């Protein structure tokens, strides 16, 4: 493998790790991982070699945003329902209340 191929593999691996860690690997969030994988596979044989550094930079930037949790704080492209439940639970607990448990069959 060349240096460029190793760099792309490292960026891809780091991005997938960040997606799994910060977005989750539940079945309902699978489309995030699938999109990343699809984009890297689609661009594995690029037609335009000048676009490769831009795409690598984009993947690195998105990884940084995920790891710094800026996407969560700005509510961009993430499901915030779990975070909202946690925040509501803390707010309710601060005034001596509890949120009811949601029935899931």
């Amino acid at each position: 493998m060349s240096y460029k191929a190793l760099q792309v593999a490292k960026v891809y691996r780091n991005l997938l790790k960040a997606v799994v860690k910060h977005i989750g690997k539940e079945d309902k969030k699978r489309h995030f991982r699938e999109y990343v994988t699809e984009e890297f596979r689609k661009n594995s044989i690029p037609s335009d070699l000048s676009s490769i550094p831009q795409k690598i930079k984009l993947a690195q930037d998105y990884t940084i945003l995920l790891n710094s949790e800026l996407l969560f704080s700005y509510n961009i492209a993430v499901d915030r329902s779990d975070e909202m439940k946690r925040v509501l639970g803390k707010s309710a607990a601060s005034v001596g209340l509890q949120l009811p448990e949601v029935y899931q069959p």
Side-chain angles (χ1 to χ4, degrees), residues 83-102:
E83 181 183 354
M84 290 306 296
K85 286 179 189 174
R86 185 177 53 81
V87 169
L88 288 173
K90 282 185 175 181
S91 298
S94 69
V95 295
L97 300 173
Q98 283 186 327
L99 291 177
E101 293 295 322
V102 178

Side-chain angles (χ1 to χ4, degrees), residues 16-91:
L16 278 181
K17 283 181 186 177
V19 167
V20 167
K21 180 179 179 184
H22 297 289
I23 294 176
K25 51 185 174 179
E26 295 91 25
D27 198 39
K28 66 180 181 178
K29 298 177 182 178
R30 182 181 64 216
H31 61 281
F32 287 103
R33 288 189 321 270
E34 289 174 353
Y35 177 76
V36 170
T37 302
E38 179 184 324
E39 285 298 308
F40 270 85
R41 285 186 182 155
K42 183 171 63 175
N43 294 308
S44 64
I45 303 173
S47 58
D48 182 19
L49 295 176
S50 64
S51 68
I52 293 174
Q54 292 173 327
K55 291 179 181 182
I56 290 174
K57 179 74 171 127
L58 179 65
Q60 287 173 330
D61 291 346
Y62 194 73
T63 303
I64 290 169
L65 288 173
L66 279 174
N67 287 331
S68 66
E69 298 186 7
L70 287 175
L71 292 177
F72 294 106
S73 60
Y74 293 122
N75 194 20
I76 301 172
V78 292
D79 180 22
R80 297 191 61 173
S81 60
D82 294 335
E83 181 183 354
M84 290 306 296
K85 286 179 189 174
R86 185 177 53 81
V87 169
L88 288 173
K90 282 185 175 181
S91 298

